[in-house]
Amino acid sequence: MVRTGTTAGHIGETRDVETIQISGGRVIDPSQGIDRISDVVLGRGRVLAIGEGYEEADVVVDARGMIVCPGLIDVHVHLREPGNEEDETIATGARAALAGGCTSVACMPNTRPSIDSQGAAEFVVLQAQRARQANVYPVGAVSKGREGHELAELGALVAGGAVAFTDDGAPVASASLMRRALQYAKMFDRCIMQHCQVMELTLGGVMNEGFESMKLGLGGMPGAAEDIMVARDIRLAEITGGRLHIQHISTERAVELVAEGKRRGVDVTAEACPHHFTLTDERLRTFDSNYKMNPPLRTRADVDAVIGGLRDGTIDLLATDHAPHSREKKMRELDQAPFGIVGLETLIPIIALALIEPGHLTWPEVIRKLTVEPARLLGLPKGTLRPGADADVTIIDPDSPWTVDPAAFHSKSRNTPYGGWPVRARAHTAIVAGEIRYTLGGKAHESGATPAP
Ligand SMILES: [Zn+2]
Ligand SMILES: [Zn+2]
């Protein structure tokens, strides 16, 4: 393996003049229809070129046997700062993002206080700049204090850096507030991301309502609670011409509704999270709170419908809904434990296991849902390796068996249902703005690909 240069190991030093050649990988860039073995050359924080024949790079990263793609973008994470720094901070969450292969994340506003003002959005941006890990984009609250009554000052939030709006953690329950939010956000060409749930139907719920919840005697959250809100909001998007994004879609009917909305020309997109296409409500038989999430794990038919929606394009994006909670909180009784699981550091392996290995999606299709589509949703000039684009690059090792070990997570929290799962793919290297900020197992330039046998 060829290596030149001596500076790449010093993470954090200024690299403005450095050029990096990522050599011999399978370059997949859906924005340009590229899928071929090639080199990617970066310099001065930008993509310089895709192609062979660059010999003067300061640093050469051997990517033989690896996938090289635009930096992955996760549009749905919870970073818990300010207010719950014991669960996660912007710095630790942004580090976990890199370790999971995401060079950009959009964080939800359900912090304490919530991200409902220009200052709050600016705080997130500033903390992320200080951390110098993944790019972090704040998603502003739809309503003041996320209380669902009064519209937040969306224009001020945009000025503070907000890339979208949501009251996630809870839905915008009021139809009239949702209607106005869609109208206003349209003026800034931003989308409203909705946690679709009719709260009156899920009060006291712990898991999906159905055969399993009845058998276990646990409070149920009916799929209809999601379906009804999805139907309502698609109609509101239709009459306002606003942009609606359905978060963490989990039911068969909701997938059908989005497909139907798209056929009618409504500006609606949807995301799916790995847990909703890998796990069913039968897992709750263990009473393990790492199977407690909101929306809850559903039935096999729902899982199959989500996979179907990912296959046929009804579901545009993949996202984690990374929801860190300390061990202490998740150890409570099932009905007391908070909803949610961490997801960043298992994103690639679980997608590979559940979507790629069974043949549901190809790597280019998966990468499209984690690059081009999220960049489009948030209006970011990212998700591409076109010359001149930001030098955000993810290198994926697609085929080296390993076992998910929550103790090794960079996230502050460990609440995952995937601990101990045997998997094959993982993030290997993450480059942000032309800086090698993460490499699996240590120093930036000393752990390139294992040479092909
Ligand atoms: Zn949610
Ligand atoms: Zn969420």
Side-chain angles (χ1 to χ4, degrees):
M1 111 181 30
V2 180
R3 297 195 186 287
T4 58
T6 55
T7 56
H10 308 139
I11 302 274
E13 75 179 31
T14 309
R15 298 162 187 282
D16 292 349
V17 295
E18 207 173 76
T19 49
I20 301 174
Q21 177 171 348
I22 305 165
S23 176
R26 176 183 172 191
V27 179
I28 299 177
D29 179 4
S31 78
Q32 304 182 75
I34 288 174
D35 181 1
R36 62 168 190 265
I37 304 293
S38 192
D39 296 352
V40 176
V41 187
L42 314 174
R44 295 179 187 273
R46 303 274 162 193
V47 177
L48 295 182
I50 297 177
E52 286 84 32
Y54 294 85
E55 288 158 14
E56 301 302 314
D58 300 313
V59 176
V60 177
V61 176
D62 185 350
R64 284 175 293 170
M66 306 271 169
I67 289 167
V68 180
C69 62
L72 306 183
I73 303 166
D74 184 352
V75 302
H76 191 157
V77 304
H78 297 266
L79 300 185
R80 306 303 187 205
E81 181 183 355
N84 285 95
E85 289 86 348
E86 70 279 13
D87 297 334
E88 195 79 287
T89 65
I90 290 166
T92 60
R95 182 70 185 160
L98 289 186
C102 295
T103 56
S104 295
V105 295
C107 64
M108 298 299 115
N110 63 334
T111 48
R112 296 186 307 178
S114 56
I115 306 171
D116 67 351
S117 67
Q118 179 167 348
E122 285 169 350
F123 170 77
V124 172
V125 173
L126 191 67
Q127 288 295 78
Q129 282 168 354
R130 284 195 183 120
R132 215 176 167 86
Q133 302 286 340
N135 303 303
V136 179
Y137 297 94
V139 175
V142 169
S143 64
K144 285 185 180 161
R146 290 178 56 252
E147 287 171 355
H149 305 307
E150 217 180 319
L151 206 59
E153 289 178 25
L154 306 192
L157 279 162
V158 169
V163 290
F165 305 100
T166 185
D167 274 355
D168 183 44
V172 177
S174 156
S176 95
L177 189 71
M178 187 63 178
R179 179 184 186 178
R180 273 185 294 137
L182 285 161
Q183 274 164 343
Y184 273 100
K186 194 180 149 192
M187 288 165 44
F188 305 103
D189 196 23
R190 298 293 200 277
C191 69
I192 302 294
M193 301 174 154
Q194 175 76 310
H195 173 119
C196 290
Q197 192 168 46
V198 176
M199 297 294 273
E200 295 92 328
L201 294 175
T202 59
L203 269 180
V206 170
M207 65 178 291
N208 183 51
E209 181 180 291
F211 178 71
E212 292 294 331
S213 69
M214 217 159 59
K215 215 172 56 179
L216 297 171
L218 291 169
M221 306 164 79
E226 179 170 331
D227 308 338
I228 292 166
M229 190 70 93
V230 169
R232 183 200 82 174
D233 287 350
I234 288 175
R235 191 75 182 101
L236 290 174
E238 190 168 24
I239 63 169
T240 57
R243 293 175 56 197
L244 172 67
H245 177 68
I246 310 291
Q247 299 182 296
H248 42 46
I249 196 166
S250 74
T251 70
E252 184 176 12
R253 183 72 188 121
V255 175
E256 289 169 6
L257 286 162
V258 170
E260 186 191 295
K262 285 186 164 177
R263 276 198 297 275
R264 285 211 312 276
V266 180
D267 197 344
V268 57
T269 51
E271 74 192 25
C273 307
H275 44 277
H276 288 132
F277 55 80
T278 53
L279 305 170
T280 67
D281 57 357
E282 293 178 15
R283 298 269 176 177
L284 271 304
R285 291 174 191 173
T286 61
F287 290 90
D288 181 343
S289 68
N290 285 327
Y291 298 114
K292 180 181 177 184
M293 45 281 274
N294 185 7
L297 300 177
R298 306 283 189 188
T299 65
R300 174 46 57 184
D302 296 306
V303 166
D304 291 343
V306 169
I307 292 171
L310 286 163
R311 288 179 64 126
D312 68 17
T314 301
I315 302 172
D316 310 79
L317 291 90
L318 292 157
T320 62
D321 196 5
H322 178 78
H325 293 292
S326 67
R327 185 180 157 75
E328 177 195 56
K329 290 174 193 165
K330 272 298 212 185
M331 285 296 283
R332 293 176 195 152
E333 294 283 309
L334 195 59
D335 55 351
Q336 297 296 318
F339 291 103
I341 57 168
V342 290
L344 284 165
E345 292 169 83
T346 49
L347 174 67
I348 290 172
I350 298 302
I351 283 174
L353 184 74
L355 298 180
I356 293 175
E357 286 176 30
H360 296 311
L361 293 180
T362 62
W363 277 110
E365 287 165 343
V366 160
I367 289 167
R368 165 175 288 279
K369 291 182 193 296
L370 286 164
T371 56
V372 186
E373 297 294 346
R376 193 196 328 245
L377 182 76
L378 303 178
L380 301 177
K382 290 184 178 289
T384 179
L385 296 176
R386 283 183 198 286
D390 293 344
D392 294 358
V393 181
T394 298
I395 303 179
I396 296 168
D397 183 347
D399 196 18
S400 292
W402 64 290
T403 303
V404 176
D405 175 14
F409 283 172
H410 291 79
S411 170
K412 266 196 177 181
S413 293
R414 309 269 180 262
N415 49 313
T416 176
Y418 299 115
W421 279 40
V423 288
R424 303 185 70 84
R426 72 196 303 184
H428 186 278
T429 297
I431 300 173
V432 181
E435 291 182 0
I436 300 173
R437 292 193 184 169
Y438 172 83
T439 290
L440 181 62
K443 279 192 174 179
H445 75 311
E446 292 180 359
S447 52
T450 309

